[in-house]
Amino acid sequence: RSDAVWLTIAIDFVAKQLEEKKASKTDVVSIVTLGRESHILVDRKPHDWTLFNTAIDLLRQQEPLFDGNYLPALDTAENLLLSNIYGSCTLTLFLLSDGKPSDRLPRGTQTHIVGVRGGHLSLIGTRIDSLASRFGRRLSVITVGFAGDREDFSVLQDLAERPKQFGSSGQFFAVRLRPEALGSVFSS
């Protein structure tokens, strides 16, 4: 799975968009990991052929992480989005996951009432709501589920719907384990 993601980023997101002139070096890209701690793998780099090489290097270097904690990554992404000083450019938050979040819910979360899924949606959804309300129509939130048929993508699906109430756009894609479908999402 990890290899398919990095190749798809390199070929379908970076190369194809450069070749079709849908992106240029004035567009910047950041890549943040999901995990117990988030890490910035690519920090506001131009969308150019150097980014393509960086994605290929990450293919060779990155090991899959086993805890898909959304909150640390969303905090990091928020800081990156806020660092944009140009109020007119569009922003895209692309969240790729192999399933439901692994974030630990805070003590006192009423999981017996809302369930674990509802607890995650409430906690993570609040972060998405905050970003969408801050950036409005400038922000697009794209969530992608990349795992087997039995995986639950309902949180990702709900997270893509939430920004719409603030004028932002949101889309969810369940590409399962089909790299060609993931490539279509990245190249659109």
Side-chain angles (χ1 to χ4, degrees):
R1 263 192 288 204
S2 178
D3 289 354
V5 169
W6 292 115
L7 281 173
T8 302
I9 289 172
I11 294 168
D12 294 308
F13 177 63
V14 180
K16 189 179 269 186
Q17 290 200 11
L18 286 170
E19 289 168 351
E20 295 175 359
K21 306 223 183 304
K22 291 181 180 177
S24 71
K25 63 183 177 182
T26 60
D27 298 307
V28 295
V29 175
S30 297
I31 299 175
V32 176
T33 61
L34 294 173
R36 286 189 185 141
E37 298 174 5
S38 71
H39 299 282
I40 300 173
L41 301 179
V42 176
D43 189 359
R44 295 167 286 186
K45 298 296 180 195
H47 194 130
D48 59 14
W49 291 106
T50 303
L51 180 62
F52 174 85
N53 292 333
T54 299
I56 296 298
D57 289 342
L58 289 168
L59 162 70
R60 296 180 186 131
Q61 298 167 5
Q62 286 300 302
E63 294 292 323
L65 300 172
F66 295 101
D67 287 326
N69 294 315
Y70 290 22
L71 290 173
L74 286 173
D75 289 343
T76 301
E78 179 177 21
N79 289 331
L80 289 165
L81 291 169
L82 288 171
S83 72
N84 173 23
I85 58 171
Y86 303 103
S88 62
C89 62
T90 59
L91 307 167
T92 301
L93 176 63
F94 195 100
L95 183 61
L96 174 68
S97 176
D98 64 357
K100 59 185 184 250
S102 301
D103 297 89
R104 290 188 182 267
L105 295 173
R107 289 192 105 161
T109 302
Q110 302 292 321
T111 56
H112 64 284
I113 297 171
V114 296
V116 173
R117 179 189 167 283
H120 280 132
L121 187 56
S122 174
L123 191 63
I124 298 164
T126 300
R127 301 291 171 85
I128 296 291
D129 291 352
S130 174
L131 289 171
S133 69
R134 182 175 289 136
F135 294 111
R137 63 189 173 136
R138 291 178 52 210
L139 180 67
S140 295
V141 176
I142 300 168
T143 61
V144 180
F146 188 61
D149 291 335
R150 294 184 186 164
E151 194 58 56
D152 178 8
F153 296 137
S154 60
V155 171
L156 285 172
Q157 194 167 12
D158 288 341
L159 292 178
E161 288 298 315
R162 295 180 75 100
K164 295 174 184 178
Q165 65 187 319
F166 300 100
S168 300
S169 64
Q171 288 183 286
F172 166 72
F173 299 91
V175 298
R176 301 298 171 190
L177 288 175
R178 299 184 329 268
E180 70 282 356
L182 181 60
S184 293
V185 172
F186 272 121
S187 64
S188 62

